[in-house]
Amino acid sequence: MNRSELTPGPRPAGDVTTSAVPVGYHQELRRGMGSFASFAAGFSFVSILTTVFQLFGLGFGLGGAAFFWTWPLVFAGQLLVALCFAELAARWPISGAIYQWSSRLAGTTVGWFTGWIMIIGQILTVAAAAIAAQAVLPGIWTGFQIIGGPHADPSVASPTGARNAVVLGCLLLVVTTVVNILGIRQMAAATSIGVTVEIVGVIALVLVLFFLPERGPQVVAHDTGAAGDGSYFGAFLASSLMAAYVMVGFDSAGELAEETHSPRRTTPRTILRALIVSGVGGALLILAGLLAASSLTDGNLAAGGLSWVLTDRLGGALGRLLLCCVAVAVFACTLAVQTSGARMIYSMAREGALPFHRHLGKVSARTGAPIITSVVVGVGAAIALLVNVRQSAIFTALSSLCIAMLYLAYLGVTLPLLVARFRRRDTGRLPDGVDETGRPLFSLGRWGIVVNTLAVLFQVGMTVNLLWPRTEIYDLTQGTWWLQWSALLFIGLSLAVGVGYFLARRLHRRIELRHVPHTHIEPIAEAVAEPA
C-alpha cells in the first residue's frame, strides 16, 4: 500500500473530521461508539475490580499494608503518560494508536517494533485478564472448580487452581471472541453494561467495607503483613507491581478512535477520564479492604485477597452477589483488551506490515469488524494459557511480563514525542488544530516538555522494576534459573523474531524493488505541512 492509496476517502454522513492533519485512511471500520462507550473501553481495560481482586493478595503479601502508597505513586506517573497520549489522540485518532503515533513521531522502523511489542503484550494481557476468572468464579459457586472438584484448592498459585484457571480462561476467551466478531456495536454495548455494573459494584463494595472497619486508616503507615525480613524498600518496589499492572490500557480509547464519533474531541477526554476514575476508585477499594479485613497477619489476606475479605466479612449470600459484579468486570476487561489487540493487528496489517496482512487487514462487510484479527488474539491468548497449564507461577509471571511489554511499547511513543518536543523547543508544542466542534485540540502547551520528561523517567524506572528477575514473581520453584530470567529471555526472543521478520521483508523488497509497506515516512514534516 503506497501513499497515493491512502488519501482520505468519502466520509460517512455525520462524521466530521476537521483537524490539523489528515488521517489518510478510507473509513472501513464503523463508527458505533459514543463518549460513554469510548470511556468504557479504557475503563474496562484498566478494570479495577478485575485487577485489584486479582493482585491485591500479591501486593499485600509483598509489601504489607503500606503497599497502599504504591497506588498513588503509580497513578501520578501514569497520569503523566496519559496526558501525553491525550495530545496525540487528538491529532492522530487512528486505530492501532500506539503503532501509529510511534510511526509518525519516530519513523517506520521504531513504529514497527513498538507495534510488534504492543501486539505481543496485548495478547499476553488478554491471557492474564482471563485468568482473573479463577479468582472470582469458584468463590461464587464451587462447581466452577472443575479441576480437582469443589474441595480442591482454588488458589491460582496451587497446581489445581492454576490448571482450572486455564480452563476457565479459555472458556471466557471463546465468549469474548464471539462478541468481538459480532461487531463494534455489540462490543460497545457489552463493555458499557460491564462498566456500569463495575462502577456500581465498586461503590457498593467501598461503602459496605468502610462500614465494617476492624482498624483505622493509620494502618497504611505500617508494613504489617509484609513477607520477608530484609530491606523494606525492595519489598515496596515489588509490591508496586500490583498498581503497575492495574493502571494500563487507558489508551484503549485511542485504539478505537476510528470507531468513535467525534474522536478528536472525545478520545483525549475519555483517556484521561478512564485513568482518573480508575485511580480514585482503586485507591478507595484498596483502603476499604485493608480496613475491613478481619486479620492482617494470619496469611488469609495475602492468599485470598479481596475475595476472602468479602466472603469472610459479608457472609455467603451478599459476598457472592458482589463477586458476581466482579465476574462481569472480568468479562468486560477481557473483551476490551482483546478488542484493543485486534485493532492493533488490523492497523499494522492494512499497511502490509505483518505476515498474512491481506487477510489480517480485512474488515467484514457484514459486521464492520476485523474478524480474523479478533480470532488471532483470542487463539494467541489461549495458547499462552495452555503452554502454562502446569505452571503455578503463571499468574504472577504473566502479569509482570505482559505489563512490562506494554510499558516498553508506551515508551516507544513518549520518548520519540519528547525528542519531537525538543526539536520545537521554542514552544514545546505539537502542531495545533481544531476538533470536530471547531475548538482547539487538547494541548499541554508549554508544560509539554516537563510533563513528557517526567513521564519518560517514570516509565524507564517502572520497566526496570517490572523486568527485575525476582524469584517471588517469576520463579516460585526458587531454583529454576530460566524461570527467574524468563521475562528478559521472552522479550529478547520476541525482539529477535521481530528483527528476523523485519530484515527479511527489507531484503525481499530490495530484490523485487517493491514499495515500503508503511505510510508514515516523514511524520513530523507531514504534521507541519498540513495547517488547519
Side-chain angles (χ1 to χ4, degrees):
M1 185 178 292
N2 55 37
R3 276 192 174 281
S4 64
E5 294 174 300
L6 293 170
T7 54
R11 299 186 182 111
D15 179 37
V16 182
T17 56
T18 305
S19 61
V21 292
V23 170
Y25 295 100
H26 291 286
Q27 183 69 40
E28 292 184 282
L29 300 171
R30 296 179 183 175
R31 294 197 185 274
M33 301 184 67
S35 178
F36 185 77
S38 178
F39 160 76
F43 186 82
S44 294
F45 197 127
V46 179
S47 189
I48 51 177
L49 271 187
T50 300
T51 46
V52 170
F53 264 79
Q54 222 180 355
L55 288 153
F56 186 97
L58 174 68
F60 177 79
L62 292 172
F67 97 97
F68 168 83
W69 296 109
T70 65
W71 186 270
L73 290 175
V74 173
F75 171 71
Q78 289 294 67
L79 183 59
L80 297 171
V81 178
L83 287 168
C84 295
F85 284 2
E87 273 197 311
L88 296 172
R91 286 153 181 80
W92 294 305
I94 312 174
S95 288
I98 299 298
Y99 159 70
Q100 297 284 354
W101 298 339
S102 181
S103 295
R104 284 164 163 74
L105 291 167
T108 57
T109 299
V110 173
W112 190 90
F113 280 100
T114 298
W116 174 251
I117 290 295
M118 189 68 178
I119 287 174
I120 298 174
Q122 284 175 322
I123 290 175
L124 293 180
T125 305
V126 175
I131 292 174
Q134 179 66 22
V136 180
L137 294 182
I140 298 174
W141 178 47
T142 55
F144 283 117
Q145 184 62 40
I146 302 170
I147 305 298
H151 301 294
D153 186 356
S155 171
V156 182
S158 69
T160 54
R163 289 196 290 270
N164 201 67
V166 172
V167 174
L168 294 180
C170 288
L171 292 176
L172 177 58
L173 289 172
V174 172
V175 177
T176 56
T177 301
V178 170
V179 175
N180 261 310
I181 288 175
L182 292 176
I184 189 61
R185 293 186 185 277
Q186 289 73 16
M187 180 269 173
T191 53
S192 296
I193 293 172
V195 163
T196 301
V197 172
E198 181 169 3
I199 291 175
V200 171
V202 169
I203 294 173
L205 279 172
V206 169
L207 290 177
V208 169
L209 294 178
F210 269 130
F211 278 105
L212 297 171
E214 289 287 329
R215 58 197 60 84
Q218 67 274 11
V219 65
V220 299
H222 308 283
D223 61 356
T224 307
D229 301 321
S231 170
Y232 183 70
F233 181 70
F236 185 79
L237 288 178
S239 69
S240 69
L241 300 186
M242 181 266 192
Y245 176 39
V246 176
M247 284 184 277
V248 293
F250 45 83
D251 59 295
S252 291
E255 301 288 356
L256 300 172
E258 284 185 51
E259 296 159 272
T260 303
H261 297 293
S262 302
R264 296 182 188 276
R265 176 172 176 77
T266 300
T267 306
R269 289 165 173 77
T270 53
I271 287 175
L272 295 174
R273 195 176 301 141
L275 179 61
I276 292 170
V277 173
S278 299
V280 174
L284 293 174
L285 193 57
I286 294 171
L287 182 60
L290 291 171
L291 298 185
S294 58
S295 175
L296 300 180
T297 56
D298 63 1
N300 284 320
L301 188 55
L306 285 180
S307 295
W308 171 76
V309 176
L310 286 186
T311 54
D312 178 58
R313 298 306 311 277
L314 304 180
L318 183 56
R320 288 187 178 92
L321 179 61
L322 291 175
L323 282 177
C324 288
C325 294
V326 182
V328 173
V330 171
F331 163 74
C333 176
T334 307
L335 177 63
V337 181
Q338 185 176 5
T339 304
S340 295
R343 297 312 185 266
M344 176 65 69
I345 295 176
Y346 162 76
S347 181
M348 294 183 69
R350 69 178 170 184
E351 298 189 6
L354 292 175
F356 311 108
H357 57 86
R358 290 183 178 84
H359 303 286
L360 296 173
K362 286 184 178 179
V363 174
S364 170
R366 185 173 64 85
T367 67
I371 292 177
I372 297 178
T373 59
S374 299
V375 174
V376 167
V377 174
V379 171
I383 292 173
L385 292 178
L386 291 171
V387 298
N388 288 282
V389 67
R390 296 187 179 276
Q391 176 54 260
S392 58
I394 178 177
F395 171 59
T396 54
L398 260 184
S399 298
S400 297
L401 175 58
C402 67
I403 301 308
M405 298 192 78
L406 295 188
Y407 270 75
L408 283 173
Y410 286 0
L411 194 58
V413 173
T414 55
L415 185 56
L417 176 59
L418 182 60
V419 173
R421 290 188 193 280
F422 275 110
R423 288 177 178 172
R424 298 173 58 84
R425 198 176 304 175
D426 54 332
T427 63
R429 302 169 70 178
L430 292 173
D432 291 320
V434 294
D435 62 21
E436 293 82 0
T437 64
R439 298 179 180 178
L441 296 178
F442 177 87
S443 176
L444 295 175
R446 295 184 179 275
W447 288 98
I449 289 180
V450 175
V451 171
N452 203 161
T453 300
L454 293 175
V456 169
L457 292 175
F458 165 76
Q459 288 177 295
V460 171
M462 189 53 71
T463 301
V464 172
N465 190 29
L466 285 162
L467 293 176
W468 199 263
R470 298 181 176 91
T471 56
E472 62 267 37
I473 299 296
Y474 294 106
D475 180 21
L476 297 185
T477 68
Q478 301 291 318
T480 309
W481 71 269
W482 62 269
L483 282 177
Q484 183 177 351
W485 295 88
S486 57
L488 292 172
L489 292 173
F490 183 84
I491 290 177
L493 179 61
S494 300
L495 288 174
V497 172
V499 168
Y501 172 75
F502 193 79
L503 292 179
R505 284 300 303 267
R506 281 289 178 91
L507 179 62
H508 183 65
R509 288 199 305 274
R510 284 179 185 148
I511 292 174
E512 297 187 5
L513 300 177
R514 299 177 66 179
H515 59 78
V516 177
H518 307 288
T519 63
H520 319 303
I521 305 303
E522 297 293 341
I524 299 300
E526 179 187 0
V528 175
E530 297 286 347

